[in-house]
């Protein structure tokens, strides 16, 4: 998925350059002056701290391990690069604003999904998805993808669909690890349709672009490529 997505984006860039398209700056773009920059390793180490803490604390702290890991990564980033920071207060303000937007979008999506889960139509959809002909993995992939597309959230699709469909498939003898992989990939396909909160925030608020100009590259790497990835995963699980 990473390789195909990268190659596809590079092809888009080369095609655009061949048509004579160039980068067009805007008045609101940030200006980076000539100043000393940290070594690239100083940006990699905090990520390694996040992965290490998450791995070491996962069994003992469960979900809270991620909070501790991210806090450790942020602290490491600050300690290693504090001499390069020139406007820490502004950075914290922007980070807090971004976090609130992300939390609000996620809460709205999960709330919408919780309400949708109580409707008769949702029960009918689950009943249909769990009785699709063919492999149970295909049914799980379709169910999670459809619900993620309706809610506009990968996490929302998993949180709504899994409690209903997972027990059914596990009772039928579906391998739990295979089910997890297929659901994890498929939830990241239709979740990033144009109405997705993250897509709207990124294209409109952050990039200042329109969906017409910017959505297709997003769809290519977050809808098409994951769909191909889940198809490949199902084929591998069925054949190997």
């Amino acid at each position: 998925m990473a390789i195909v997505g990268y190659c596809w984006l590079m092809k888009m860039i080369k095609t655009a350059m061949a048509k004579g398209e160039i980068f067009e700056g805007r008045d609101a773009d940030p200006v980076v002056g000539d100043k000393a920059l940290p070594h690239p390793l100083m940006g990699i180490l905090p990520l390694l701290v996040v992965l290490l803490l998450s791995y070491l604390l996962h069994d003992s702290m469960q979900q809270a391990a991620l909070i501790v890991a991210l806090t450790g990564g942020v602290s490491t980033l600050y300690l290693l690069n504090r001499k390069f920071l020139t406007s820490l207060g502004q950075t914290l303000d922007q980070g807090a604003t971004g976090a609130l937007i992300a939390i609000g979008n996620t809460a709205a999506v999960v709330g919408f999904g919780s309400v949708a889960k109580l409707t008769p139509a949702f029960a009918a959809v689950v009943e249909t998805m769990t009785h699709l002909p063919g492999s149970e993995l295909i049914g799980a992939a379709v169910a999670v993808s459809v619900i993620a597309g309706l809610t506009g959230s990968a996490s929302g699709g998993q949180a709504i669909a899994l409690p209903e469909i997972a027990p059914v498939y596990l009772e039928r003898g579906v391998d739990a690890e295979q089910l997890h992989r297929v659901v994890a990939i498929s939830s990241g396909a239709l979740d990033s349709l144009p109405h997705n909160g993250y897509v709207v925030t990124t294209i409109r608020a952050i990039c200042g672009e329109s969906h017409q100009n910017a959505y297709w590259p997003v769809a290519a790497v977050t809808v098409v490529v994951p769909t191909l990835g889940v198809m490949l995963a199902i084929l591998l699980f069925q054949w190997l």
Side-chain angles (χ1 to χ4, degrees):
M1 288 170 59
I3 293 174
V4 172
Y6 173 80
C7 293
W8 199 345
L9 287 179
M10 291 304 298
K11 186 177 185 303
M12 290 182 183
I13 293 174
K14 292 180 179 178
T15 301
M17 293 175 62
K19 293 179 179 179
E21 296 184 23
I22 59 174
F23 177 79
E24 298 179 1
R26 297 172 178 168
D27 295 336
D29 290 344
V31 178
V32 180
D34 295 332
K35 64 177 182 179
L37 298 176
H39 192 278
L41 185 61
M42 297 299 100
I44 297 177
L45 286 177
L47 300 178
L48 296 178
V49 170
V50 172
L51 294 175
L52 181 62
L53 290 177
S54 179
Y55 175 76
L56 294 177
L57 302 176
H58 179 266
D59 291 335
S60 59
M61 301 185 67
Q62 301 298 323
Q63 288 87 349
L66 182 58
I67 298 176
V68 175
L70 291 174
T71 303
V74 172
S75 301
T76 303
L77 180 64
Y78 171 74
L79 293 174
L80 293 177
N81 302 284
R82 62 183 184 277
K83 66 179 181 179
F84 299 100
L85 301 175
T86 57
S87 56
L88 181 60
Q90 182 181 359
T91 302
L92 292 175
D93 288 342
Q94 293 177 351
T97 301
L100 290 174
I101 293 174
I103 292 172
N105 287 337
T106 302
V109 166
V110 174
F112 169 79
S114 298
V115 174
K117 186 177 177 180
L118 301 177
T119 63
F122 179 82
V125 169
V126 172
E127 179 68 18
T128 301
M129 295 302 174
T130 53
H131 291 84
L132 289 176
S135 170
E136 285 84 358
L137 294 178
I138 296 177
V142 173
V144 173
S145 295
V146 169
I147 296 174
L150 292 174
T151 60
S153 169
S155 58
Q158 293 189 43
I160 296 170
L162 282 179
E164 304 296 329
I165 66 173
V168 177
Y169 289 136
L170 293 177
E171 288 179 1
R172 297 178 185 175
V174 177
D175 184 88
E177 293 187 357
Q178 293 183 7
L179 181 63
H180 170 267
R181 301 300 189 277
V182 169
V183 166
I185 300 174
S186 63
S187 67
L190 297 183
D191 72 308
S192 53
L193 294 177
H195 66 287
N196 173 268
Y198 176 78
V199 172
V200 173
T201 302
T202 302
I203 293 179
R204 297 285 183 171
I206 298 177
C207 298
E209 279 288 352
S210 65
H211 274 61
Q212 181 179 358
N213 293 331
Y215 180 68
W216 171 238
V218 175
V221 296
T222 65
V223 177
V224 179
V225 172
T227 300
L228 297 175
V230 73
M231 292 171 62
L232 177 60
I234 293 174
L235 288 175
L236 292 174
F237 286 141
Q238 294 299 312
W239 290 347
L240 300 180

